[in-house]
Amino acid sequence: MSEWYHDSVFYELYIRAYQDSTGNGRGDFRGAIERLDHIKSLGVDCIWIMPHYASPLLDGGYDISDYRDVHPDFGTLDDFKAFLDAAHARGLRVVTDLVMNHTSDQHPWFQAARQDKDSPYRDYYVWSDTGTEYAETRIIFLDVEASNWSYDDVAGQYFWHRFYSSQPDLNYDNPKVHEEMFDVMRFWLDMGIDGFRVDAIPYLYEREGTNCENLPETHLFLQKMRRMVDAEYPECLLIAEANMWPEELLPYFGTAENPEFQICFHFPIMPRLYQALRAQDKTAIEEIWARTPDIPEGTSWMTFLRNHDELTLEMVTPEVRQWMWEQYAPEPRMKQNMGIRRRLAPLMDNNKQKWFLINALFLSLPGVPILYYGDEIGMSDNIWLPDRHGVRTPMQWDASKNAGFSDADELYFPVIENYREVNVAAQEKDPTSYLNLTRRLLQVRSEQPALRHGGFAFVETGNTAVLAFRRFIDEQSILCVFNLSDEEQVVMLDEKRPYRDVLSNENATFDISLAPRAVHWFI
Ligand code: NOJ
């Protein structure tokens, strides 16, 4: 494989939210084509699209009723293909979501399974007469579900589900399920997609006496999946969504002999960036990095600040979680499950310097970064919408009706009220806008190979409020310095020489006074 992904920046796109081309109030592929130039203009290389499949949409499309079709709201298979071709024509790659742990209960497999005990599809799912098995397994959608088992009247049995009860888990003990999923992958790869973000992979198997997460059987299956991909689609990128601790994530990269994923999201570092900023103390970042193992050659972490879900706090201690809720979710409606359902800009108090600092920080850490649509213009959220929908509202393009997203009188969700001020068109003109700062950060990053894929080492600053680290490759080295505090700090840099900040193009000496929330990328 060409390993193009090491040098790429990703963008998470929600087709429903991007551009409506039909006037029905919902975004679609034809609309998104019109907006690809915006994505390209940011300096992004690859788009991850959230599930675009046929679905009753009880979990934002992560409840699939037909893996081989496009949701009618989004268009047709031809529209998907046109989007893919238009992206490729601009040099943008596209990965889609592969939801393999579960289907919708509307999927024909589940419908056949529940109706007939002897159907070959019965064994595609996980059943029980008592609903008492695997009692040590935690519940993920805590706010809504009381159990991982639900009774199905038609089937006369309980079925297993790690997410909503409308999402029955597939049974990976059945090899036919493997083949079905591989055929789904072939279907989309044959169409020309560049890879998959694979959803919820820790939960594929269940075993009594375990917490049913990260099981050896799961890894064996994932290795089998990678073997299929390497043999048939060697250019296919696989990204693992496993919300786990660093040491539990390592096996998802596999080994040189038995690889699994080229990229894994680094879930634990994400909340610590917010924690460090609010606490004005870098310790949490240094600690989690110390706990992050080296990963195999050719693999990479994926770093992110926000996505379409709640900002998950599963990977922090209960005490830190409580503190984070107090700091970042003062209203009860801002909390969800084990996280916070807010967008990046409001989490940064709509303070551009804080927003810039956390962005610059995440863009200079090792790993492939992914931006979430709308965060590049500092979009806000709507905590009054249910579930995680408050961070999935229409993209704000301009100050016209519905922020230029749609002509319709009714939208799938309302546009955020401040769209007349916060929109792409307004920010195009302002060199210090969120939009142009995003472009600037990505541009400067793209010019620094050390930032994109260099080594990483913390630099001692003697000050817990000042985080500093070096990224280095060959002869090139870049010193990244962040003043996490809202007061001026004075530090000595590690070498006595003049420095130049590639972000501001200003020079500095080795003993510098850092403005509140200052960011420097020194060469
Ligand atoms: C993780 C996805 O990010 C989330 O949106 C979804 O609800 C669950 N997996 C279940 O598919």
Side-chain angles (χ1 to χ4, degrees):
M1 182 176 197
S2 52
E3 298 193 7
W4 53 270
Y5 48 90
H6 283 303
D7 255 350
S8 296
V9 174
F10 283 59
Y11 185 83
E12 181 186 354
L13 178 57
Y14 188 32
I15 296 292
R16 175 173 302 274
Y18 223 51
Q19 182 66 49
D20 170 15
S21 75
T22 64
N24 70 357
R26 285 160 261 163
D28 47 62
F29 279 115
R30 294 276 167 194
I33 292 173
E34 295 166 32
R35 299 300 189 180
L36 283 171
D37 289 336
H38 166 76
I39 299 178
K40 183 73 186 170
S41 81
L42 298 173
V44 161
D45 308 285
C46 184
I47 300 168
W48 153 33
I49 50 173
M50 283 168 62
H52 60 285
Y53 311 92
S55 162
L57 299 181
L58 296 177
D59 182 13
Y62 285 91
D63 46 332
I64 295 172
S65 53
D66 184 348
Y67 285 94
R68 287 183 176 72
D69 207 355
V70 170
H71 193 287
D73 285 354
F74 295 173
T76 61
L77 279 170
D78 281 345
D79 295 335
F80 174 85
K81 184 75 174 98
F83 171 83
L84 189 61
D85 292 345
H88 284 164
R90 288 165 177 78
L92 291 165
R93 291 186 157 91
V94 177
V95 305
T96 62
D97 230 300
L98 181 65
V99 187
M100 54 172 21
N101 177 66
H102 46 269
T103 68
S104 160
D105 59 6
Q106 301 305 306
H107 195 290
W109 297 339
F110 189 75
Q111 289 301 322
R114 70 200 296 220
Q115 273 150 24
D116 180 1
K117 253 195 154 106
D118 299 322
S119 156
Y121 294 108
R122 185 76 164 201
D123 197 33
Y124 275 36
Y125 295 90
V126 183
W127 301 96
S128 160
D129 290 328
T130 58
T132 53
E133 294 84 348
Y134 318 132
E136 290 155 50
T137 311
R138 74 191 163 114
I139 295 165
I140 296 171
F141 285 166
L142 273 175
D143 289 357
V144 179
E145 298 296 339
S147 167
N148 288 315
W149 289 109
S150 284
Y151 189 74
D152 186 64
D153 283 333
V154 180
Q157 276 191 306
Y158 294 85
F159 63 92
W160 179 251
H161 55 88
R162 290 306 303 273
F163 296 95
Y164 289 129
S165 57
S166 53
Q167 292 164 296
D169 271 36
L170 285 163
N171 173 20
Y172 278 84
D173 277 316
N174 181 351
K176 285 200 194 117
V177 170
H178 302 190
E179 285 313 314
E180 292 276 13
M181 220 31 83
F182 293 171
D183 280 346
V184 168
M185 295 172 79
R186 291 180 181 112
F187 179 84
W188 295 100
L189 287 164
D190 285 342
M191 222 182 264
I193 65 158
D194 299 284
F196 296 103
R197 174 266 192 194
V198 192
D199 185 70
I201 44 148
Y203 318 119
L204 301 182
Y205 281 80
E206 300 75 34
R207 288 291 179 267
E208 203 52 79
T210 75
N211 66 0
C212 296
E213 299 188 357
N214 313 318
L215 296 179
E217 291 84 350
T218 293
H219 286 289
L220 289 175
F221 166 73
L222 294 171
Q223 288 159 19
K224 176 175 166 188
M225 176 171 88
R226 177 68 181 268
R227 278 197 298 278
M228 181 287 278
V229 162
D230 280 352
E232 299 178 32
Y233 304 91
E235 288 299 305
C236 169
L237 174 66
L238 296 173
I239 306 173
E241 193 241 355
N243 187 357
M244 295 287 153
W245 290 99
E247 56 276 12
E248 293 164 334
L249 282 167
L250 182 63
Y252 287 103
F253 291 111
T255 59
E257 300 73 46
N258 289 307
E260 297 184 18
F261 291 86
Q262 294 99 334
I263 293 185
C264 292
F265 282 98
H266 197 311
F267 273 92
I269 191 124
M270 182 275 295
R272 287 168 178 79
L273 303 180
Y274 293 89
Q275 183 189 347
L277 197 58
R278 190 54 72 105
Q280 306 184 33
D281 182 336
K282 64 182 175 177
T283 313
I285 296 175
E286 291 187 340
E287 281 176 359
I288 202 67
W289 203 259
R291 193 175 161 178
T292 297
D294 289 339
I295 56 177
E297 193 67 31
T299 65
S300 184
W301 295 111
M302 182 163 264
T303 52
F304 64 107
L305 291 172
R306 288 297 292 114
N307 63 19
H308 63 287
D309 288 326
E310 70 274 28
L311 188 169
T312 170
L313 299 173
E314 278 165 313
M315 292 299 120
V316 296
T317 62
E319 296 74 35
V320 172
R321 187 176 307 135
Q322 199 53 45
W323 184 83
M324 290 284 283
W325 272 328
E326 285 161 19
Q327 297 297 320
Y328 285 112
E331 300 282 336
R333 284 197 67 89
M334 294 174 176
K335 279 190 184 178
Q336 187 174 25
N337 299 318
M338 293 276 247
I340 301 168
R341 52 169 164 196
R342 298 183 72 194
R343 264 195 184 262
L344 180 59
L347 285 165
M348 294 296 106
D349 305 318
N350 295 308
N351 174 315
K352 210 182 275 174
Q353 187 56 31
K354 286 189 200 172
W355 175 94
F356 186 74
L357 190 152
I358 201 165
N359 269 290
L361 171 51
F362 124 89
L363 288 170
S364 42
L365 288 169
V368 174
I370 180 160
L371 315 179
Y372 182 49
Y373 90 90
D375 285 345
E376 76 272 29
I377 54 168
M379 242 169 83
S380 196
D381 48 43
N382 179 353
I383 57 168
W384 301 101
L385 293 174
D387 202 338
R388 290 147 288 174
H389 299 313
V391 300
R392 302 176 184 176
T393 59
M395 180 68 181
Q396 297 164 198
W397 297 106
D398 57 42
S400 68
K401 177 181 174 182
N402 298 328
F405 161 74
S406 168
D407 295 337
D409 289 329
E410 208 176 314
L411 308 183
Y412 73 98
F413 289 133
V415 176
I416 302 285
E417 276 175 15
N418 68 0
Y419 77 87
R420 284 186 193 79
E421 295 81 54
V422 179
N423 62 65
V424 172
Q427 295 193 10
E428 286 287 0
K429 299 173 208 138
D430 173 3
T432 65
S433 65
Y434 289 101
L435 176 60
N436 283 318
L437 290 176
T438 301
R439 288 177 177 147
R440 170 115 187 102
L441 282 167
L442 293 185
Q443 170 68 30
V444 176
R445 184 180 182 278
S446 77
E447 291 160 1
Q448 302 294 333
L451 281 181
R452 299 201 311 270
H453 50 242
F456 175 82
F458 286 112
V459 170
E460 189 44 69
T461 61
N463 180 338
T464 51
V466 180
L467 173 68
F469 51 77
R470 276 194 177 279
R471 302 293 314 276
F472 45 86
I473 192 164
D474 304 325
E475 294 304 289
Q476 200 220 359
S477 159
I478 182 158
L479 176 64
C480 306
V481 183
F482 307 89
N483 178 5
L484 303 174
S485 90
D486 48 24
E487 283 170 19
E488 188 179 302
Q489 304 286 332
V490 177
V491 289
M492 304 273 205
L493 300 183
D494 59 345
E495 286 171 36
K496 290 195 176 170
R497 62 173 177 86
Y499 289 88
R500 186 169 69 86
D501 182 344
V502 288
L503 280 169
S504 66
N505 274 325
E506 283 170 11
N507 295 325
T509 52
F510 74 99
D511 57 340
I512 49 166
S513 113
L514 298 165
R517 312 279 182 198
V519 173
H520 297 286
W521 286 351
F522 285 128
I523 56 170

